[in-house]
Amino acid sequence: MYKFLEQTVAGYMTRAAKTVTRERTVRELSEMFERDDFNSYPVEEDGQVVGIVTKFDLLKCFIFTPSQMIPPYEQLMSRTVGDVMTPEFIYVRTDTKLTRVLQLMVDHRIRSVPAIDDEHRLSGIIARRDVLKALADCSGG
């Protein structure tokens, strides 16, 4: 298990991560979530990650409160990712230890974390299943 202490994001992340742009509609995003069975996508603009959009962000569109009336469904579905994304998000570097990633995931109840380089470009994504694989690999089974 001590081997896990030395493992980094680079060794377990998915390098070819799917992304979305701010211009994609909520309808298209919803279809992507269904098709890909992902819980989040990094949002890219000019090759840089500018936010993240999650299923939770999508669900927030449908909250009904006294201060927020729900517009018609079609109007909601034509909104853009830029309208619903989270611009301030948690990310890691490829040299971040998996112990730190695990702590971030537990503390913030997140399923995946983008790995970003120094120019804020996406290097990959590290998900809970990747951390679980690293734990299994390092424990010998």
Side-chain angles (χ1 to χ4, degrees):
M1 198 51 122
Y2 292 111
K3 187 177 174 188
F4 180 75
L5 300 175
E6 299 305 316
Q7 301 306 305
T8 63
V9 169
Y12 287 90
M13 71 181 186
T14 299
R15 294 182 187 278
K18 289 188 178 184
T19 63
V20 296
T21 63
R22 292 178 196 250
E23 294 77 27
R24 189 171 292 270
T25 67
V26 168
R27 178 181 309 286
E28 293 168 323
L29 178 66
S30 179
E31 291 167 358
M32 287 178 69
F33 279 135
E34 175 118 5
R35 180 186 64 237
D36 298 333
D37 194 29
F38 291 168
N39 287 294
S40 66
Y41 293 98
V43 181
E44 280 190 319
E45 184 175 278
D46 297 326
Q48 294 187 321
V49 180
V50 296
I52 196 157
V53 64
T54 67
K55 283 183 179 176
F56 186 72
D57 293 324
L58 183 64
L59 287 173
K60 286 191 299 189
C61 293
F62 298 95
I63 292 175
F64 177 76
T65 65
S67 64
Q68 178 178 324
M69 300 299 288
I70 297 180
Y73 181 78
E74 288 303 317
Q75 187 178 344
L76 284 173
M77 297 307 278
S78 65
R79 292 177 73 188
T80 66
V81 166
D83 295 331
V84 300
M85 72 179 210
T86 302
E88 295 177 13
F89 60 99
I90 295 169
Y91 62 90
V92 295
R93 306 279 185 197
T94 57
D95 62 350
T96 302
K97 300 283 188 198
L98 289 184
T99 52
R100 177 67 180 138
V101 173
L102 177 58
Q103 191 66 53
L104 287 168
M105 288 177 167
V106 170
D107 288 349
H108 298 280
R109 295 178 174 255
I110 50 180
R111 296 177 182 216
S112 60
V113 182
I116 309 292
D117 69 14
D118 292 334
E119 284 90 43
H120 233 64
R121 297 187 189 286
L122 186 66
S123 298
I125 205 156
I126 186 90
R128 288 189 294 193
R129 71 175 167 264
D130 302 321
V131 174
L132 288 169
K133 181 180 182 336
L135 284 164
D137 289 352
C138 293
S139 68

